[in-house]
Amino acid sequence: MDTELGWMHAVISVGFLLLVGVQQFHLLIPPDQSLHPQSYEPCDEKCGSFLGLFPKYKLCQETTSQSLCTAFPHWHQRDHFVSCGDCQFVESSPESHGEHDERGILVDFHWEDACSDSPYDYVGTLIFCEQGNGTFGYRSLNDTLPCGSSSPLLRLRPGLAYQLRLINEASEPTNLHPHGLYISGEGNADDITRYAGPGECLLYNWTLSDEHLDGTFLYHAHRHNITNHQVSGGAIGMLFVDTATPQTRPSWVDREKLLFIQSSKDEDFVNGMPKLHVPLIANTWYRFRIAVGDARGKLRSLRFDPEQCDVRLVATDGVWRSRGAAAPAFHYEVTGSTRMDLAVACQASSGIWYRVNSTDDEEPIVVMAVHVSEDVSQLNKLEDWIPPRPSHLQSRANFDMDDTWNITISKETGINGYLYDHERPIETFEFGQYHQWRLYNTDRHPFHLHIYHMQIVTPGGCGNIFEEGEWYDTISADSAVTDHCTVRFHMNAFSGRTVLHCHQLSHEDLGVMVWTDVIGGPDNSFLQVRSQETAFCEVCARPLP
């Protein structure tokens, strides 16, 4: 009798679990959509089952049920394009809520391992959001921070392929530009003419070469006519490329302090905070990775206290100095997209000031609380580290140039008299050419070149942080030093669109942006947007409220 009752209880329990499973399954499907069996075919043996009850399915052709994962916020869907579109439960981690430590509310973006048959190594979802009153931002899929608090930090590795899904939950179109990455300006890599409307999304393919430089970069919105509006509202974040640590790498290089200085609506923030407190050990070298995100693009001052700290420039715009650490300096002029890596060691508590005027006596934006350690009694000599240079960053100072071009920038007339036209390039260049450009008026119009860094060959440099022989992707020369800045680079990697523009983004929106068409290079057709990706993007974004 007891046995029969036991079996009866077991049958009832299984039936109840099946019923609950069915209900949970249907809760994941938006009410205006239904599951159409004819749109599916069974997955292969890699898929498994849903909640241990139902067989999983893969996307076949046209279906909208792929949005079921985003209908429930704690479910994350793997790379859909590679036929392994199963849902996985993602636990919310404390990190995603952003603890107010020395990083403020700067949190790391979470990449997922791609499916085994994927052309990508990692996949991830970044959401473009809007809070109202012109406030924009980016957040990860499970991020609970308010929109506009702080954009997540994206970390990449050389030699790997990343698929990033950008979901637009705002009320206006947008896209994404990885500022400083050495990737194509075509297709789903970094074509700024692509965009996602409200409730839509874009898929990006960021495939980094094995020799991609280790550095500090940015990502930000780049939809023409509203770039300034969105970036000023907060649509900008930090992006790092990090190599594996070699045995010869000094320990201070990995002793990171991260500072993302962002100006939004005439207010300055560092890591999302009005003021940041950073703990340091006295007489210890640290690597300060600093990025500035200011759509206005005007020169501002970053100042340290020379009485308390030893500060040396080691990298700019994501490129390590070719001659090792610079001489000690305590005042740096930066533009709205400057990135600097500094070696910093302090003997007592001090601050960092970020102001229009370098003599300002206002409160510092960063307070460095220095603690004395018995283990570190005096400052050791800074160990230099000069990582290997990629082929496209080898010096061009003694090369013969294929092209010499003067570039004059004006708010009223654009670049060399041309305003932006997305259908017509300003010039057509042959792939593989060596270029020398003379840049005028960059003190008022910071000049940014997509894809390629530029080596300064002006004797003595161009003032500020722009040194002769070093490489930058955005240049704002000191007019008191020179009336123009001469740069060289080699178009040796990608054919197609290469964009150049003023990085005072209100000027870029007015048309101070052009592009050149590089012909005869490698076929970039693998980067073009594929119809299946486009179809998926129409259904992967969540509906607007």
Side-chain angles (χ1 to χ4, degrees), residues 181-196:
L181 283 194
Y182 188 59
I183 59 175
S184 172
E186 290 286 338
N188 56 16
D190 188 24
D191 181 358
I192 63 168
T193 66
R194 299 174 65 218
Y195 65 91

mmCIF file of all heavy atoms in Angstrom, residues 181-196:
data_model
loop_
_atom_site.group_PDB
_atom_site.id
_atom_site.type_symbol
_atom_site.label_atom_id
_atom_site.label_comp_id
_atom_site.label_asym_id
_atom_site.label_seq_id
_atom_site.Cartn_x
_atom_site.Cartn_y
_atom_site.Cartn_z
ATOM 1 N N LEU A 181 40.578 51.657 -32.244
ATOM 2 C CA LEU A 181 40.839 50.267 -32.616
ATOM 3 C C LEU A 181 41.318 50.177 -34.062
ATOM 4 O O LEU A 181 40.856 50.916 -34.943
ATOM 5 C CB LEU A 181 39.586 49.409 -32.445
ATOM 6 C CG LEU A 181 39.183 48.980 -31.046
ATOM 7 C CD1 LEU A 181 38.148 47.868 -31.131
ATOM 8 C CD2 LEU A 181 40.370 48.539 -30.201
ATOM 9 N N TYR A 182 42.206 49.222 -34.299
ATOM 10 C CA TYR A 182 42.773 48.983 -35.624
ATOM 11 C C TYR A 182 41.925 47.929 -36.321
ATOM 12 O O TYR A 182 42.277 46.752 -36.419
ATOM 13 C CB TYR A 182 44.219 48.505 -35.456
ATOM 14 C CG TYR A 182 45.014 48.382 -36.723
ATOM 15 C CD1 TYR A 182 45.221 49.467 -37.572
ATOM 16 C CD2 TYR A 182 45.620 47.171 -37.068
ATOM 17 C CE1 TYR A 182 45.985 49.355 -38.720
ATOM 18 C CE2 TYR A 182 46.392 47.034 -38.207
ATOM 19 C CZ TYR A 182 46.568 48.133 -39.033
ATOM 20 O OH TYR A 182 47.325 48.011 -40.176
ATOM 21 N N ILE A 183 40.742 48.366 -36.790
ATOM 22 C CA ILE A 183 39.799 47.477 -37.474
ATOM 23 C C ILE A 183 39.228 48.208 -38.683
ATOM 24 O O ILE A 183 39.343 49.429 -38.801
ATOM 25 C CB ILE A 183 38.659 47.012 -36.550
ATOM 26 C CG1 ILE A 183 37.876 48.215 -36.021
ATOM 27 C CG2 ILE A 183 39.197 46.155 -35.415
ATOM 28 C CD1 ILE A 183 36.662 47.837 -35.197
ATOM 29 N N SER A 184 38.572 47.483 -39.564
ATOM 30 C CA SER A 184 38.041 48.036 -40.807
ATOM 31 C C SER A 184 36.954 49.077 -40.542
ATOM 32 O O SER A 184 36.200 48.995 -39.568
ATOM 33 C CB SER A 184 37.469 46.912 -41.674
ATOM 34 O OG SER A 184 36.782 47.439 -42.790
ATOM 35 N N GLY A 185 36.862 50.049 -41.446
ATOM 36 C CA GLY A 185 35.787 51.037 -41.411
ATOM 37 C C GLY A 185 34.609 50.634 -42.262
ATOM 38 O O GLY A 185 33.752 51.471 -42.575
ATOM 39 N N GLU A 186 34.541 49.371 -42.632
ATOM 40 C CA GLU A 186 33.467 48.877 -43.490
ATOM 41 C C GLU A 186 32.600 47.864 -42.743
ATOM 42 O O GLU A 186 32.989 47.315 -41.710
ATOM 43 C CB GLU A 186 34.056 48.192 -44.735
ATOM 44 C CG GLU A 186 34.728 49.142 -45.718
ATOM 45 C CD GLU A 186 33.731 49.967 -46.513
ATOM 46 O OE1 GLU A 186 32.562 49.544 -46.636
ATOM 47 O OE2 GLU A 186 34.110 51.046 -47.000
ATOM 48 N N GLY A 187 31.431 47.601 -43.314
ATOM 49 C CA GLY A 187 30.564 46.512 -42.866
ATOM 50 C C GLY A 187 30.234 46.578 -41.388
ATOM 51 O O GLY A 187 30.021 47.649 -40.824
ATOM 52 N N ASN A 188 30.186 45.408 -40.759
ATOM 53 C CA ASN A 188 29.806 45.386 -39.348
ATOM 54 C C ASN A 188 30.998 45.523 -38.411
ATOM 55 O O ASN A 188 30.902 45.207 -37.222
ATOM 56 C CB ASN A 188 29.001 44.124 -39.011
ATOM 57 C CG ASN A 188 29.738 42.847 -39.367
ATOM 58 O OD1 ASN A 188 30.942 42.851 -39.583
ATOM 59 N ND2 ASN A 188 29.005 41.746 -39.451
ATOM 60 N N ALA A 189 32.128 46.018 -38.927
ATOM 61 C CA ALA A 189 33.267 46.323 -38.063
ATOM 62 C C ALA A 189 33.097 47.733 -37.494
ATOM 63 O O ALA A 189 32.776 47.904 -36.326
ATOM 64 C CB ALA A 189 34.575 46.186 -38.824
ATOM 65 N N ASP A 190 33.236 48.758 -38.354
ATOM 66 C CA ASP A 190 33.134 50.134 -37.849
ATOM 67 C C ASP A 190 32.632 51.086 -38.936
ATOM 68 O O ASP A 190 33.204 52.154 -39.151
ATOM 69 C CB ASP A 190 34.482 50.603 -37.297
ATOM 70 C CG ASP A 190 34.389 51.944 -36.575
ATOM 71 O OD1 ASP A 190 33.291 52.280 -36.104
ATOM 72 O OD2 ASP A 190 35.423 52.637 -36.487
ATOM 73 N N ASP A 191 31.579 50.690 -39.616
ATOM 74 C CA ASP A 191 30.955 51.555 -40.616
ATOM 75 C C ASP A 191 29.982 52.493 -39.895
ATOM 76 O O ASP A 191 28.917 52.071 -39.445
ATOM 77 C CB ASP A 191 30.220 50.710 -41.654
ATOM 78 C CG ASP A 191 29.560 51.555 -42.738
ATOM 79 O OD1 ASP A 191 29.633 52.803 -42.664
ATOM 80 O OD2 ASP A 191 28.965 50.974 -43.663
ATOM 81 N N ILE A 192 30.339 53.775 -39.798
ATOM 82 C CA ILE A 192 29.522 54.703 -39.016
ATOM 83 C C ILE A 192 28.238 55.101 -39.732
ATOM 84 O O ILE A 192 27.397 55.790 -39.144
ATOM 85 C CB ILE A 192 30.318 55.972 -38.651
ATOM 86 C CG1 ILE A 192 30.722 56.744 -39.923
ATOM 87 C CG2 ILE A 192 31.522 55.617 -37.793
ATOM 88 C CD1 ILE A 192 31.236 58.130 -39.644
ATOM 89 N N THR A 193 28.046 54.667 -40.991
ATOM 90 C CA THR A 193 26.785 54.963 -41.676
ATOM 91 C C THR A 193 25.679 54.000 -41.255
ATOM 92 O O THR A 193 24.504 54.257 -41.516
ATOM 93 C CB THR A 193 26.957 54.907 -43.203
ATOM 94 O OG1 THR A 193 27.252 53.567 -43.616
ATOM 95 C CG2 THR A 193 28.078 55.834 -43.654
ATOM 96 N N ARG A 194 26.044 52.884 -40.636
ATOM 97 C CA ARG A 194 25.028 51.962 -40.115
ATOM 98 C C ARG A 194 24.448 52.520 -38.816
ATOM 99 O O ARG A 194 25.137 53.188 -38.050
ATOM 100 C CB ARG A 194 25.651 50.592 -39.808
ATOM 101 C CG ARG A 194 26.255 49.877 -40.993
ATOM 102 C CD ARG A 194 26.960 48.619 -40.523
ATOM 103 N NE ARG A 194 26.043 47.646 -39.947
ATOM 104 C CZ ARG A 194 26.302 46.874 -38.905
ATOM 105 N NH1 ARG A 194 27.449 46.975 -38.271
ATOM 106 N NH2 ARG A 194 25.416 46.010 -38.458
ATOM 107 N N TYR A 195 23.208 52.216 -38.559
ATOM 108 C CA TYR A 195 22.624 52.640 -37.295
ATOM 109 C C TYR A 195 21.412 51.780 -36.978
ATOM 110 O O TYR A 195 20.841 51.122 -37.840
ATOM 111 C CB TYR A 195 22.215 54.122 -37.339
ATOM 112 C CG TYR A 195 21.112 54.441 -38.331
ATOM 113 C CD1 TYR A 195 19.774 54.411 -37.940
ATOM 114 C CD2 TYR A 195 21.403 54.772 -39.653
ATOM 115 C CE1 TYR A 195 18.754 54.705 -38.848
ATOM 116 C CE2 TYR A 195 20.402 55.062 -40.557
ATOM 117 C CZ TYR A 195 19.083 55.026 -40.153
ATOM 118 O OH TYR A 195 18.079 55.309 -41.047
ATOM 119 N N ALA A 196 21.054 51.789 -35.700
ATOM 120 C CA ALA A 196 19.863 51.080 -35.231
ATOM 121 C C ALA A 196 18.843 52.111 -34.787
ATOM 122 O O ALA A 196 19.151 53.001 -33.987
ATOM 123 C CB ALA A 196 20.220 50.159 -34.062
#
